[in-house]
Amino acid sequence: MSSLEIVYSHFYQDPDTRLSYHCDLLTRGMGGVEMESRKGEEWASQLQCWSLQLINCFAFKPEFLPALCKPEFLVKLPVMWGGLVNENSPAGIGLLRTICQHKLGRGPVSACSGMVEALCNIARSSDDWQYMAIECLLWLLQDPNTSHKVVDKAFPTLVDLAEITNLGDHKKLGDSIVSVLQECKRSRELIEETVSCRQRLKWEKNMPKEDLHIKQAAALVVKLEGNSLFSSGDVAGAAEKYSEALSLCPMRSKKERVVLYSNRAQCHLLLQQPLVAISDATHALSLHNPVNRHAKSLWRRAQAYDITRFLSAERLVKKQMKAGWLFKEAALKHGGVHRKGEEREVYGNESDDSEWETASGSDNGDDGRHHMGLDDEEEEEEGHGEKWKKRDKNEKTCSKGMRHGYNIKLAEEDMRRTMDTTTRSSKEVGEKEKMSHKQNDLLHGNSLICIVILRESIESRMQQKQCYI
């Protein structure tokens, strides 16, 4: 029996039979069923983290790995997290990283069903322990005995993360990713774009600044054409223009490339191509400074993940609330929470219409409704990083004082408002299709004139200086 099951069955499950000594110990005499339940859940989370830390000490010794690397245990590690009261604990992913450091541990991890996909999800997330999942995937690819088992799933994920420069205290993580990918014999075509980008960066270092400014101006003109096509309803044409702008944009202009990748991700969302949208959004988040802090890309990647699960928005929220409950498995095994005078179980009901209140559920914060439109460079300000630092501090402060019980009805109302906003935005796109042809022709004509002028300037400079653009 796990530590979570012990706390659940002996304390959490039946509030009416709780010992007063246990209640006073957890709540310091304050009392109240809600506070007792929340403190009990926090205590169970701490027990789990301490247990994982102890097991992690044994995992450094190869003789203990056969006992630890059992499929039924390994498959649960990626979903074990520190909880709200253990923010600094790597929990399950930390133990998994220690196991993957040994050759004896990498074999069972690569053979475990769903393990590689879980590592890819964490590596492509904005989690604090993202780098641990990336290191696990790199070690699995470097091992010739496990590389062929994980390359199909790990390779595309790492390609999306190849342009990460620094991730916390880990410097030049993108260079390590590219070097490992180049050593792989399979899927060489997937890394061609990454290698070509590296070569372009070397070439641009020897180019005059005037030529780089010309290329950047040309990319801006093509981007404006893409925005015009998107506004007129030609989403596929807009995606092509953003791709063309990416090929013109200098590699050092990371802010502009973040905007282009994020806008193209929005196009793929509307074209019902969620996997490509996830890839583009991840590219944008990897290029952004600080990493994983571009709000629109985070929102668009979340939308793409929702599409891949083929669930309605309201039902998805309920599923995630259930999946995030710390005592979910214990409730299924030992039954729901019993209350005196009630015929049915309060928790543990598997119907989609039930309400799950838990201290470990998802936070009902900003739903991202203001991130539906396209990006613009004006939003990329120098003070953006400081704004995110303040936001992170506020989130940590709020999480410590988080009250027990996230009402699912609040999440449903937020999601309904999000769906209404999506509907209104689609209507606005339809209205923009009926905009004046004179304005479209004027904008298109001005763009063509700019392109002709830029191309003539580029050709003249090539003839004079014979430089490569």
Side-chain angles (χ1 to χ4, degrees), residues 284-329:
L285 292 168
S286 300
L287 287 169
H288 192 264
N289 186 24
V291 180
N292 296 325
R293 288 295 184 266
H294 190 245
K296 288 188 177 181
S297 298
L298 285 171
W299 171 245
R300 287 162 184 167
R301 188 168 67 177
Q303 287 179 302
Y305 277 127
D306 291 350
I307 295 175
T308 57
R309 286 165 173 79
F310 300 104
L311 290 173
S312 64
E314 294 183 13
R315 190 179 179 190
L316 179 65
V317 170
K318 295 179 180 180
K319 291 285 186 181
Q320 293 302 322
M321 291 288 284
K322 290 182 180 182
W325 190 35
L326 188 67
F327 291 129
K328 179 178 179 292
E329 293 186 3

CSV table of all heavy atoms in Angstrom, one decimal, residues 284-329:
chain,number,residue,atom,x,y,z
A,284,ALA,N,8.6,28.6,-31.1
A,284,ALA,CA,8.5,30.0,-30.6
A,284,ALA,C,8.9,30.1,-29.1
A,284,ALA,O,9.6,31.0,-28.7
A,284,ALA,CB,7.1,30.5,-30.8
A,285,LEU,N,8.4,29.1,-28.3
A,285,LEU,CA,8.7,29.2,-26.9
A,285,LEU,C,10.2,28.9,-26.7
A,285,LEU,O,10.8,29.5,-25.7
A,285,LEU,CB,7.9,28.1,-26.2
A,285,LEU,CG,6.4,28.4,-26.1
A,285,LEU,CD1,5.6,27.2,-25.6
A,285,LEU,CD2,6.1,29.6,-25.2
A,286,SER,N,10.9,28.1,-27.5
A,286,SER,CA,12.3,27.9,-27.3
A,286,SER,C,13.1,29.1,-27.7
A,286,SER,O,14.2,29.3,-27.1
A,286,SER,CB,12.7,26.7,-28.2
A,286,SER,OG,12.0,25.5,-27.9
A,287,LEU,N,12.7,29.9,-28.7
A,287,LEU,CA,13.4,31.1,-29.1
A,287,LEU,C,13.2,32.3,-28.1
A,287,LEU,O,14.0,33.2,-28.1
A,287,LEU,CB,13.0,31.5,-30.5
A,287,LEU,CG,13.5,30.6,-31.6
A,287,LEU,CD1,12.8,30.9,-32.9
A,287,LEU,CD2,15.0,30.7,-31.8
A,288,HIS,N,12.1,32.3,-27.4
A,288,HIS,CA,11.7,33.4,-26.6
A,288,HIS,C,12.7,33.6,-25.5
A,288,HIS,O,13.2,32.6,-24.9
A,288,HIS,CB,10.3,33.3,-26.1
A,288,HIS,CG,9.7,34.5,-25.5
A,288,HIS,ND1,9.7,34.8,-24.2
A,288,HIS,CD2,9.1,35.6,-26.1
A,288,HIS,CE1,9.2,36.0,-23.9
A,288,HIS,NE2,8.8,36.5,-25.1
A,289,ASN,N,12.8,34.8,-25.0
A,289,ASN,CA,13.7,35.1,-23.9
A,289,ASN,C,12.8,35.9,-22.9
A,289,ASN,O,12.4,37.0,-23.2
A,289,ASN,CB,14.9,36.0,-24.3
A,289,ASN,CG,15.8,36.2,-23.1
A,289,ASN,OD1,15.8,35.4,-22.2
A,289,ASN,ND2,16.6,37.2,-23.2
A,290,PRO,N,12.5,35.3,-21.7
A,290,PRO,CA,13.0,34.0,-21.2
A,290,PRO,C,12.2,32.9,-21.9
A,290,PRO,O,11.1,33.1,-22.4
A,290,PRO,CB,12.6,34.1,-19.7
A,290,PRO,CG,11.5,35.1,-19.6
A,290,PRO,CD,11.7,36.1,-20.7
A,291,VAL,N,12.8,31.7,-21.8
A,291,VAL,CA,12.3,30.5,-22.4
A,291,VAL,C,10.9,30.2,-21.8
A,291,VAL,O,10.7,30.3,-20.6
A,291,VAL,CB,13.3,29.3,-22.3
A,291,VAL,CG1,12.7,28.1,-23.0
A,291,VAL,CG2,14.6,29.7,-22.9
A,292,ASN,N,10.0,29.7,-22.7
A,292,ASN,CA,8.7,29.3,-22.3
A,292,ASN,C,7.8,30.3,-21.7
A,292,ASN,O,6.9,30.1,-20.9
A,292,ASN,CB,8.8,28.1,-21.3
A,292,ASN,CG,9.4,26.9,-21.9
A,292,ASN,OD1,9.3,26.6,-23.1
A,292,ASN,ND2,10.2,26.1,-21.1
A,293,ARG,N,8.0,31.6,-22.1
A,293,ARG,CA,7.3,32.7,-21.5
A,293,ARG,C,6.5,33.5,-22.5
A,293,ARG,O,6.2,34.7,-22.2
A,293,ARG,CB,8.2,33.6,-20.6
A,293,ARG,CG,8.7,32.9,-19.3
A,293,ARG,CD,7.5,32.6,-18.4
A,293,ARG,NE,7.9,32.1,-17.1
A,293,ARG,CZ,8.0,30.8,-16.8
A,293,ARG,NH1,7.6,29.9,-17.8
A,293,ARG,NH2,8.3,30.4,-15.6
A,294,HIS,N,6.3,33.0,-23.7
A,294,HIS,CA,5.5,33.7,-24.7
A,294,HIS,C,4.1,33.3,-24.5
A,294,HIS,O,3.7,32.1,-24.9
A,294,HIS,CB,6.0,33.4,-26.1
A,294,HIS,CG,5.5,34.3,-27.2
A,294,HIS,ND1,4.7,33.8,-28.1
A,294,HIS,CD2,5.5,35.6,-27.3
A,294,HIS,CE1,4.3,34.8,-28.9
A,294,HIS,NE2,4.8,35.9,-28.5
A,295,ALA,N,3.2,34.2,-24.1
A,295,ALA,CA,1.9,33.8,-23.6
A,295,ALA,C,1.0,33.3,-24.8
A,295,ALA,O,0.3,32.3,-24.6
A,295,ALA,CB,1.2,35.0,-23.0
A,296,LYS,N,1.1,33.9,-25.9
A,296,LYS,CA,0.3,33.5,-27.1
A,296,LYS,C,0.7,32.1,-27.5
A,296,LYS,O,-0.2,31.3,-27.9
A,296,LYS,CB,0.4,34.5,-28.2
A,296,LYS,CG,-0.4,35.8,-27.9
A,296,LYS,CD,-0.4,36.7,-29.2
A,296,LYS,CE,-1.2,37.9,-28.9
A,296,LYS,NZ,-1.3,38.8,-30.1
A,297,SER,N,2.0,31.8,-27.6
A,297,SER,CA,2.4,30.5,-28.0
A,297,SER,C,2.0,29.4,-27.0
A,297,SER,O,1.6,28.3,-27.4
A,297,SER,CB,3.9,30.5,-28.2
A,297,SER,OG,4.3,31.4,-29.2
A,298,LEU,N,2.0,29.7,-25.7
A,298,LEU,CA,1.5,28.8,-24.7
A,298,LEU,C,0.1,28.5,-24.9
A,298,LEU,O,-0.4,27.3,-24.8
A,298,LEU,CB,1.8,29.4,-23.3
A,298,LEU,CG,3.2,29.3,-22.8
A,298,LEU,CD1,3.3,30.1,-21.5
A,298,LEU,CD2,3.7,27.9,-22.5
A,299,TRP,N,-0.7,29.5,-25.1
A,299,TRP,CA,-2.1,29.4,-25.3
A,299,TRP,C,-2.4,28.5,-26.6
A,299,TRP,O,-3.3,27.6,-26.6
A,299,TRP,CB,-2.8,30.7,-25.4
A,299,TRP,CG,-4.3,30.7,-25.8
A,299,TRP,CD1,-4.8,31.2,-26.9
A,299,TRP,CD2,-5.3,30.1,-25.1
A,299,TRP,NE1,-6.2,31.0,-26.9
A,299,TRP,CE2,-6.5,30.3,-25.8
A,299,TRP,CE3,-5.4,29.4,-23.9
A,299,TRP,CZ2,-7.8,29.8,-25.4
A,299,TRP,CZ3,-6.7,28.9,-23.4
A,299,TRP,CH2,-7.8,29.2,-24.2
A,300,ARG,N,-1.7,28.8,-27.7
A,300,ARG,CA,-2.0,28.1,-28.9
A,300,ARG,C,-1.5,26.6,-28.8
A,300,ARG,O,-2.2,25.7,-29.4
A,300,ARG,CB,-1.2,28.8,-30.1
A,300,ARG,CG,-1.9,30.1,-30.4
A,300,ARG,CD,-1.1,31.0,-31.2
A,300,ARG,NE,-1.8,32.3,-31.5
A,300,ARG,CZ,-1.2,33.4,-31.9
A,300,ARG,NH1,0.1,33.4,-32.2
A,300,ARG,NH2,-1.9,34.5,-32.1
A,301,ARG,N,-0.5,26.4,-28.1
A,301,ARG,CA,-0.1,25.0,-27.9
A,301,ARG,C,-1.1,24.2,-27.1
A,301,ARG,O,-1.4,23.0,-27.3
A,301,ARG,CB,1.3,24.9,-27.3
A,301,ARG,CG,1.9,23.5,-27.2
A,301,ARG,CD,3.4,23.5,-26.9
A,301,ARG,NE,3.6,23.9,-25.5
A,301,ARG,CZ,4.8,23.9,-25.0
A,301,ARG,NH1,5.9,23.6,-25.7
A,301,ARG,NH2,5.0,24.4,-23.7
A,302,ALA,N,-1.6,24.9,-26.1
A,302,ALA,CA,-2.7,24.3,-25.2
A,302,ALA,C,-3.9,24.0,-26.1
A,302,ALA,O,-4.5,22.9,-25.9
A,302,ALA,CB,-3.0,25.2,-24.1
A,303,GLN,N,-4.3,24.9,-27.0
A,303,GLN,CA,-5.4,24.6,-27.9
A,303,GLN,C,-5.1,23.4,-28.8
A,303,GLN,O,-6.0,22.6,-29.0
A,303,GLN,CB,-5.7,25.8,-28.7
A,303,GLN,CG,-6.3,27.0,-28.0
A,303,GLN,CD,-6.5,28.2,-28.9
A,303,GLN,OE1,-5.6,28.7,-29.5
A,303,GLN,NE2,-7.8,28.6,-29.0
A,304,ALA,N,-3.9,23.3,-29.3
A,304,ALA,CA,-3.5,22.2,-30.1
A,304,ALA,C,-3.6,20.9,-29.4
A,304,ALA,O,-4.1,19.8,-29.9
A,304,ALA,CB,-2.1,22.4,-30.7
A,305,TYR,N,-3.1,20.9,-28.1
A,305,TYR,CA,-3.3,19.6,-27.3
A,305,TYR,C,-4.7,19.3,-27.1
A,305,TYR,O,-5.1,18.1,-27.0
A,305,TYR,CB,-2.5,19.8,-26.0
A,305,TYR,CG,-1.1,19.6,-26.0
A,305,TYR,CD1,-0.2,20.6,-25.5
A,305,TYR,CD2,-0.5,18.4,-26.5
A,305,TYR,CE1,1.2,20.4,-25.6
A,305,TYR,CE2,0.8,18.2,-26.6
A,305,TYR,CZ,1.7,19.2,-26.1
A,305,TYR,OH,3.1,19.0,-26.2
A,306,ASP,N,-5.6,20.3,-26.9
A,306,ASP,CA,-7.0,20.0,-26.7
A,306,ASP,C,-7.6,19.3,-28.0
A,306,ASP,O,-8.4,18.4,-27.9
A,306,ASP,CB,-7.8,21.3,-26.4
A,306,ASP,CG,-7.4,21.8,-25.1
A,306,ASP,OD1,-6.7,21.1,-24.3
A,306,ASP,OD2,-7.8,23.0,-24.8
A,307,ILE,N,-7.2,19.8,-29.2
A,307,ILE,CA,-7.7,19.2,-30.4
A,307,ILE,C,-7.2,17.7,-30.5
A,307,ILE,O,-8.0,16.9,-31.0
A,307,ILE,CB,-7.2,20.0,-31.6
A,307,ILE,CG1,-7.8,21.4,-31.6
A,307,ILE,CG2,-7.6,19.4,-32.9
A,307,ILE,CD1,-7.3,22.4,-32.6
A,308,THR,N,-6.0,17.4,-30.2
A,308,THR,CA,-5.5,16.1,-30.3
A,308,THR,C,-6.2,15.1,-29.4
A,308,THR,O,-6.2,13.9,-29.7
A,308,THR,CB,-4.0,16.0,-30.0
A,308,THR,OG1,-3.8,16.5,-28.7
A,308,THR,CG2,-3.2,16.9,-31.0
A,309,ARG,N,-6.9,15.6,-28.4
A,309,ARG,CA,-7.6,14.6,-27.5
A,309,ARG,C,-9.0,14.4,-27.9
A,309,ARG,O,-9.8,13.6,-27.3
A,309,ARG,CB,-7.6,15.2,-26.1
A,309,ARG,CG,-6.2,15.0,-25.4
A,309,ARG,CD,-6.0,15.8,-24.2
A,309,ARG,NE,-4.8,15.5,-23.5
A,309,ARG,CZ,-3.6,16.0,-23.8
A,309,ARG,NH1,-3.5,16.8,-24.8
A,309,ARG,NH2,-2.5,15.7,-23.1
A,310,PHE,N,-9.5,15.2,-28.9
A,310,PHE,CA,-10.8,15.0,-29.5
A,310,PHE,C,-11.9,15.0,-28.4
A,310,PHE,O,-12.9,14.2,-28.4
A,310,PHE,CB,-10.9,13.7,-30.3
A,310,PHE,CG,-10.0,13.5,-31.4
A,310,PHE,CD1,-8.9,12.8,-31.3
A,310,PHE,CD2,-10.2,14.2,-32.6
A,310,PHE,CE1,-8.0,12.7,-32.3
A,310,PHE,CE2,-9.3,14.2,-33.6
A,310,PHE,CZ,-8.2,13.4,-33.5
A,311,LEU,N,-11.8,16.0,-27.5
A,311,LEU,CA,-12.8,16.1,-26.5
A,311,LEU,C,-13.3,17.5,-26.5
A,311,LEU,O,-12.6,18.5,-26.9
A,311,LEU,CB,-12.2,15.9,-25.1
A,311,LEU,CG,-11.8,14.4,-24.8
A,311,LEU,CD1,-11.1,14.4,-23.4
A,311,LEU,CD2,-13.0,13.6,-24.7
A,312,SER,N,-14.6,17.7,-26.2
A,312,SER,CA,-15.1,19.1,-26.0
A,312,SER,C,-14.4,19.8,-24.9
A,312,SER,O,-13.9,19.2,-24.0
A,312,SER,CB,-16.6,19.0,-25.8
A,312,SER,OG,-16.9,18.4,-24.6
A,313,ALA,N,-14.5,21.1,-24.9
A,313,ALA,CA,-13.8,21.9,-24.0
A,313,ALA,C,-14.3,21.6,-22.5
A,313,ALA,O,-13.5,21.5,-21.6
A,313,ALA,CB,-13.9,23.4,-24.3
A,314,GLU,N,-15.6,21.6,-22.3
A,314,GLU,CA,-16.1,21.4,-21.0
A,314,GLU,C,-15.7,20.0,-20.4
A,314,GLU,O,-15.3,19.8,-19.3
A,314,GLU,CB,-17.6,21.5,-21.0
A,314,GLU,CG,-18.1,23.0,-21.3
A,314,GLU,CD,-19.6,23.1,-21.2
A,314,GLU,OE1,-20.2,22.2,-20.7
A,314,GLU,OE2,-20.1,24.1,-21.7
A,315,ARG,N,-15.9,19.0,-21.3
A,315,ARG,CA,-15.5,17.6,-20.9
A,315,ARG,C,-14.1,17.5,-20.6
A,315,ARG,O,-13.7,16.8,-19.7
A,315,ARG,CB,-16.0,16.7,-21.9
A,315,ARG,CG,-15.9,15.2,-21.5
A,315,ARG,CD,-16.4,14.3,-22.6
A,315,ARG,NE,-16.3,12.9,-22.1
A,315,ARG,CZ,-16.5,11.9,-22.9
A,315,ARG,NH1,-16.7,12.1,-24.2
A,315,ARG,NH2,-16.4,10.6,-22.5
A,316,LEU,N,-13.2,18.2,-21.4
A,316,LEU,CA,-11.8,18.1,-21.1
A,316,LEU,C,-11.4,18.7,-19.8
A,316,LEU,O,-10.6,18.1,-19.1
A,316,LEU,CB,-11.1,18.9,-22.2
A,316,LEU,CG,-9.5,18.9,-22.1
A,316,LEU,CD1,-9.0,17.5,-22.3
A,316,LEU,CD2,-8.9,19.9,-23.2
A,317,VAL,N,-12.0,19.8,-19.4
A,317,VAL,CA,-11.8,20.4,-18.1
A,317,VAL,C,-12.1,19.4,-17.0
A,317,VAL,O,-11.3,19.2,-16.0
A,317,VAL,CB,-12.5,21.7,-17.9
A,317,VAL,CG1,-12.5,22.2,-16.4
A,317,VAL,CG2,-12.0,22.8,-18.8
A,318,LYS,N,-13.2,18.7,-17.1
A,318,LYS,CA,-13.6,17.7,-16.0
A,318,LYS,C,-12.6,16.6,-16.0
A,318,LYS,O,-12.3,16.1,-14.9
A,318,LYS,CB,-15.0,17.2,-16.3
A,318,LYS,CG,-16.1,18.3,-16.2
A,318,LYS,CD,-17.5,17.8,-16.5
A,318,LYS,CE,-18.5,18.8,-16.4
A,318,LYS,NZ,-19.9,18.3,-16.8
A,319,LYS,N,-12.2,16.1,-17.2
A,319,LYS,CA,-11.3,15.0,-17.2
A,319,LYS,C,-9.9,15.4,-16.5
A,319,LYS,O,-9.3,14.6,-15.8
A,319,LYS,CB,-11.0,14.6,-18.7
A,319,LYS,CG,-12.2,13.9,-19.3
A,319,LYS,CD,-12.4,12.5,-18.8
A,319,LYS,CE,-13.5,11.8,-19.6
A,319,LYS,NZ,-13.7,10.5,-19.2
A,320,GLN,N,-9.5,16.6,-16.8
A,320,GLN,CA,-8.2,17.1,-16.2
A,320,GLN,C,-8.3,17.3,-14.7
A,320,GLN,O,-7.4,17.0,-14.0
A,320,GLN,CB,-7.7,18.4,-16.9
A,320,GLN,CG,-7.4,18.2,-18.4
A,320,GLN,CD,-6.3,17.2,-18.5
A,320,GLN,OE1,-5.3,17.1,-17.7
A,320,GLN,NE2,-6.3,16.3,-19.6
A,321,MET,N,-9.5,17.8,-14.3
A,321,MET,CA,-9.7,18.0,-12.8
A,321,MET,C,-9.6,16.6,-12.1
A,321,MET,O,-9.0,16.5,-11.0
A,321,MET,CB,-11.0,18.6,-12.6
A,321,MET,CG,-11.1,20.1,-13.0
A,321,MET,SD,-10.1,21.2,-12.0
A,321,MET,CE,-11.2,21.3,-10.6
A,322,LYS,N,-10.2,15.6,-12.7
A,322,LYS,CA,-10.1,14.2,-12.1
A,322,LYS,C,-8.7,13.7,-12.2
A,322,LYS,O,-8.3,13.1,-11.2
A,322,LYS,CB,-11.1,13.3,-12.9
A,322,LYS,CG,-12.6,13.6,-12.7
A,322,LYS,CD,-13.4,12.6,-13.5
A,322,LYS,CE,-14.9,12.9,-13.3
A,322,LYS,NZ,-15.7,11.9,-14.0
A,323,ALA,N,-8.1,13.9,-13.3
A,323,ALA,CA,-6.7,13.3,-13.4
A,323,ALA,C,-5.7,14.0,-12.5
A,323,ALA,O,-4.7,13.4,-12.1
A,323,ALA,CB,-6.2,13.5,-14.9
A,324,GLY,N,-6.0,15.3,-12.1
A,324,GLY,CA,-5.1,16.0,-11.2
A,324,GLY,C,-5.3,15.8,-9.8
A,324,GLY,O,-4.6,16.3,-8.9
A,325,TRP,N,-6.3,15.0,-9.4
A,325,TRP,CA,-6.6,14.8,-8.0
A,325,TRP,C,-5.6,13.8,-7.4
A,325,TRP,O,-5.3,12.7,-8.0
A,325,TRP,CB,-8.0,14.3,-7.8
A,325,TRP,CG,-8.5,14.2,-6.4
A,325,TRP,CD1,-8.2,15.1,-5.4
A,325,TRP,CD2,-9.3,13.2,-5.8
A,325,TRP,NE1,-8.8,14.8,-4.2
A,325,TRP,CE2,-9.5,13.6,-4.4
A,325,TRP,CE3,-9.9,12.1,-6.2
A,325,TRP,CZ2,-10.3,12.8,-3.5
A,325,TRP,CZ3,-10.7,11.3,-5.4
A,325,TRP,CH2,-10.9,11.7,-4.0
A,326,LEU,N,-5.0,14.2,-6.3
A,326,LEU,CA,-3.9,13.4,-5.7
A,326,LEU,C,-4.4,12.0,-5.3
A,326,LEU,O,-3.7,11.0,-5.4
A,326,LEU,CB,-3.3,14.1,-4.5
A,326,LEU,CG,-2.1,13.5,-3.9
A,326,LEU,CD1,-0.9,13.6,-4.9
A,326,LEU,CD2,-1.7,14.2,-2.6
A,327,PHE,N,-5.6,11.9,-4.8
A,327,PHE,CA,-6.2,10.6,-4.3
A,327,PHE,C,-7.0,9.9,-5.3
A,327,PHE,O,-7.9,9.1,-4.9
A,327,PHE,CB,-7.0,10.9,-3.0
A,327,PHE,CG,-6.2,11.3,-1.8
A,327,PHE,CD1,-6.5,12.4,-1.1
A,327,PHE,CD2,-5.1,10.6,-1.4
A,327,PHE,CE1,-5.8,12.9,0.0
A,327,PHE,CE2,-4.3,11.0,-0.4
A,327,PHE,CZ,-4.7,12.1,0.4
A,328,LYS,N,-6.9,10.2,-6.6
A,328,LYS,CA,-7.7,9.6,-7.6
A,328,LYS,C,-7.6,8.0,-7.6
A,328,LYS,O,-8.6,7.3,-7.5
A,328,LYS,CB,-7.3,10.1,-9.0
A,328,LYS,CG,-8.2,9.5,-10.1
A,328,LYS,CD,-7.8,10.1,-11.5
A,328,LYS,CE,-8.6,9.5,-12.6
A,328,LYS,NZ,-8.3,8.1,-12.8
A,329,GLU,N,-6.4,7.5,-7.7
A,329,GLU,CA,-6.2,6.1,-7.7
A,329,GLU,C,-6.6,5.4,-6.4
A,329,GLU,O,-7.2,4.3,-6.4
A,329,GLU,CB,-4.8,5.7,-8.1
A,329,GLU,CG,-4.4,6.1,-9.5
A,329,GLU,CD,-3.0,5.6,-9.8
A,329,GLU,OE1,-2.4,4.9,-9.0
A,329,GLU,OE2,-2.5,5.9,-10.9
